[in-house]
Amino acid sequence: MSTDKIIAFDSLRVFAIFSVIILHASASLFSELYPSNEWLAANFYESISRWNVSVFFMISGALFLRKSKKLNLKRLYSKNIFHIVIVFFFWSILYAIYEFWGKCDFSAILNNILIGPHHFWFLKALLGLYIAIPIFRHIVSSKKTEIFFLLTTFILGIVIPSLIVTVGVFDRPFEQLLTGIYDKFNVQLISTYSFYFVIGHYFIEYPLNYTGRHILYFLGAISPFAVMLSSYYVSELNGAPFMPFLENYFICTALEASAIYILFTSCYKSGKYDVIFAQMSKRVMGIYIVHVFIMDWFTDIGINPTSCNLIFFIPIYSLLVFVVSYCFVVVLQKIPLVNKLI
């Protein structure tokens, strides 16, 4: 893999984590502020920032599945996978202590530790993907097999869930019936995350031509606005905020994530900011882990996105969370032992 690709991944991680913070800053407002002008701002930021976690999966797939990387099972399971498990429980304990400080509900505390804070779903999904890396590497060893796998997971993890959600706009009972049937097969989440993981490798190994890239750029550019308008329309129709169009499995999210991923990996060139992005990239996982704690702390001291006009305040608030989280992680990485858990 070329140096430009590695640098592109560094910069993409940084932009993606900032997008995560914007997403989390607007997510609760999307549910709480409907109907209002503030909700329109939340809908806008929700719609343009849903690509981030899908891109994280794609980057991981590109790095772990590339042919030049020799698979070391001992290192994979004893270091990469074990590290995720330790990080998950260490920070779940700290989040539980913070949430239940001064309370004695041991059952709830234990439950929170085992489940983890809400944004730790990503660590659990990543853990499952890492465990399956030997299988994925066998799949990507053949281009035909990889294409077949991508088509299958795209249909099962993206197309079918998107169609079911769309059906629900017009016939809610029928959508609930379809969802109940499809959920019994337990294939959606596995297919969705596996699709992103493997297609991250495919786009690097078999780059799209000029026409293919620009078609995807166009579809990716219109996708967030299609989601924003569709969410607005269906929310107005139902009289309540409608979120399914914002999920990772929705086809617009897949198009937007793929377009941004290809844009960075195809067009990024080395420059004077490479060292800065490389240093910041080393703190991205730490920022992901702690940024919700920083947001909760901000709320406790009276700083939250509802303080001002949301169209301006959400990005400013998100930048503040990003900077404080980054500085916090830098400090933690200087502490022995703790630096292994961030």
Side-chain angles (χ1 to χ4, degrees), residues 137-155:
R137 290 194 48 114
H138 180 72
I139 290 170
V140 304
S141 63
S142 163
K143 184 177 180 180
K144 287 185 177 180
T145 305
E146 186 171 6
I147 291 174
F148 176 78
F149 179 83
L150 287 172
L151 287 173
T152 303
T153 51
F154 180 67
I155 292 170

Side-chain angles (χ1 to χ4, degrees), residues 80-243:
N80 301 108
I81 292 175
F82 183 70
H83 177 71
I84 293 176
V85 173
I86 296 300
V87 166
F88 177 90
F89 283 110
F90 176 79
W91 286 99
S92 288
I93 291 171
L94 293 185
Y95 268 101
I97 291 173
Y98 179 77
E99 182 175 351
F100 290 94
W101 185 261
K103 303 176 184 177
C104 296
D105 192 342
F106 295 108
S107 177
I109 294 173
L110 180 61
N111 184 67
N112 273 39
I113 291 173
L114 295 176
I115 296 176
H118 64 84
H119 65 303
F120 274 23
W121 71 267
F122 170 68
L123 295 181
K124 290 182 279 189
L126 196 63
L127 177 65
L129 292 171
Y130 277 16
I131 290 172
I133 281 176
I135 300 173
F136 290 138
R137 290 194 48 114
H138 180 72
I139 290 170
V140 304
S141 63
S142 163
K143 184 177 180 180
K144 287 185 177 180
T145 305
E146 186 171 6
I147 291 174
F148 176 78
F149 179 83
L150 287 172
L151 287 173
T152 303
T153 51
F154 180 67
I155 292 170
L156 294 176
I158 305 292
V159 175
I160 293 178
S162 297
L163 289 175
I164 291 175
V165 166
T166 305
V167 166
V169 174
F170 307 99
D171 191 336
R172 181 65 174 164
F174 188 49
E175 183 230 355
Q176 292 175 335
L177 174 64
L178 293 176
T179 301
I181 294 172
Y182 195 60
D183 284 350
K184 289 182 180 180
F185 291 95
N186 294 315
V187 296
Q188 180 190 315
L189 291 181
I190 296 173
S191 300
T192 303
Y193 302 145
S194 298
F195 169 78
Y196 288 127
F197 198 75
V198 174
I199 205 169
H201 165 270
Y202 185 87
F203 282 147
I204 299 299
E205 192 71 21
Y206 312 104
L208 295 180
N209 59 26
Y210 178 88
T211 303
R213 289 199 308 273
H214 283 78
I215 289 174
L216 192 53
Y217 293 157
F218 173 74
L219 294 175
I222 66 173
S223 288
F225 298 100
V227 168
M228 181 174 58
L229 294 174
S230 300
S231 297
Y232 172 78
Y233 170 75
V234 181
S235 297
E236 288 287 290
L237 197 65
N238 294 342
F242 186 80
M243 291 198 69

Side-chain angles (χ1 to χ4, degrees), residues 6-22 51-52 55-56 59 260 264 268 273-285 287-288 318-319 322-323 326:
I6 299 298
I7 295 170
F9 286 155
D10 286 338
S11 60
L12 184 51
R13 283 192 191 97
V14 174
F15 283 104
I17 194 61
F18 183 67
S19 174
V20 167
I21 296 173
I22 289 178
W51 55 272
N52 43 64
V55 164
F56 281 139
I59 293 172
I260 292 173
F264 270 79
Y268 190 89
Y273 299 109
D274 293 349
V275 174
I276 296 174
F277 280 126
Q279 290 300 315
M280 294 178 73
S281 179
K282 294 177 182 178
R283 277 103 190 193
V284 163
M285 179 59 82
I287 294 171
Y288 186 89
S318 300
L319 181 61
F322 176 86
V323 171
Y326 182 87

